Amino acid sequence: GFQLMLDLGESVNDISKQTGFSKSTIYHRVKLLELDPEEFKKSQNREISINDYIKLEKLKSTENKNAVLKVMGTSDFEYRLKSLLEKEKREEQKAEVLEYLKTVATNISSEDREKYSFKVWKYNYDLKSIKSYVESITKGDSNEKVYYSLDGTFINFYVEKTDDEITETKETAEEIERK
């Protein structure tokens, strides 16, 4: 009913005045329409409060909301909700870090890695620590350019090899070939 009124041009304020429901109640009820109708019907057969449905609003992805809806009212609900919230947060952080890296570093493919000297890997997408690390490489007299590659949840950082490293790599390759 709330959605129909909104579709007919009513504002949430108008609906609130006409029905006596609070704006937040209207908002929460309309958000329920994002859920899979079949799973929503199934969930109503379990002991679920409106507050449990409201918890789903913390998730950004409709797909994740529907995944948690399937276990709502079970002992797995809180765990699944928390793990998907953390996953969405990591994905958001990853996007921020990659956006930053595009401005200060060059992405390299796995085939090109041998041309560069490995520096460090970062196992999380903490933008502050990534910025700090990149700044430590490029600060001062260093003219080193920063390169990165992604391996699953890891970001590997590289710099261009020095002439000594290139020579050492060639010597090592020649020694291996001789052996």
Side-chain angles (χ1 to χ4, degrees):
F2 292 145
Q3 185 62 55
L4 179 62
M5 293 175 83
L6 289 169
D7 292 345
L8 292 173
E10 298 285 337
S11 71
V12 174
N13 284 336
D14 294 338
I15 296 170
S16 178
K17 288 176 187 172
Q18 292 171 13
T19 63
F21 286 100
S22 70
K23 293 178 201 174
S24 64
T25 298
I26 296 166
Y27 169 78
H28 293 308
R29 298 302 193 279
V30 170
K31 291 298 268 180
L32 292 175
L33 295 172
E34 294 175 0
L35 302 173
D36 179 90
E38 292 300 316
E39 286 301 325
F40 184 75
K41 284 178 187 175
K42 289 177 188 176
S43 73
Q44 290 177 329
N45 295 329
R46 299 185 292 266
E47 300 278 328
I48 299 172
S49 72
I50 190 66
N51 288 331
D52 288 335
Y53 289 111
I54 291 171
K55 288 179 183 179
L56 291 180
E57 293 175 18
K58 295 176 186 176
L59 292 164
K60 291 181 174 67
S61 160
T62 302
E63 183 181 317
N64 287 344
K65 289 177 185 179
N66 286 319
V68 174
L69 181 62
K70 290 178 182 180
V71 297
M72 190 177 274
T74 70
S75 60
D76 201 26
F77 170 65
E78 292 293 335
Y79 171 77
R80 284 291 285 283
L81 178 64
K82 183 179 177 187
S83 65
L84 286 174
L85 283 169
E86 289 171 359
K87 180 181 177 189
E88 284 186 349
K89 182 179 178 183
R90 280 191 310 274
E91 291 299 319
E92 195 174 287
Q93 290 172 327
K94 180 180 181 180
E96 287 176 353
V97 165
L98 291 178
E99 199 59 39
Y100 165 73
L101 286 176
K102 288 177 186 175
T103 64
V104 297
T106 304
N107 189 6
I108 58 173
S109 66
S110 56
E111 297 85 41
D112 291 336
R113 290 182 195 166
E114 64 189 41
K115 299 175 189 173
Y116 303 96
S117 180
F118 176 75
K119 282 299 227 185
V120 72
W121 56 266
K122 295 288 186 180
Y123 60 89
N124 63 25
Y125 296 108
D126 176 43
L127 185 57
K128 186 176 178 181
S129 71
I130 299 283
K131 281 183 176 181
S132 174
Y133 178 72
V134 169
E135 289 169 6
S136 74
I137 292 176
T138 58
K139 197 182 286 185
D141 294 335
S142 175
N143 290 323
E144 291 181 300
K145 289 181 74 178
V146 180
Y147 301 88
Y148 73 95
S149 68
L150 295 176
D151 287 327
T153 58
F154 297 98
I155 303 174
N156 298 313
F157 287 94
Y158 303 85
V159 294
E160 289 181 7
K161 285 187 175 180
T162 63
D163 291 337
D164 291 340
E165 288 175 313
I166 293 170
T167 303
E168 184 180 310
T169 303
K170 284 181 184 177
E171 290 172 356
T172 303
E174 289 170 0
E175 188 175 317
I176 291 171
E177 191 173 312
R178 274 194 301 261
K179 287 182 179 180

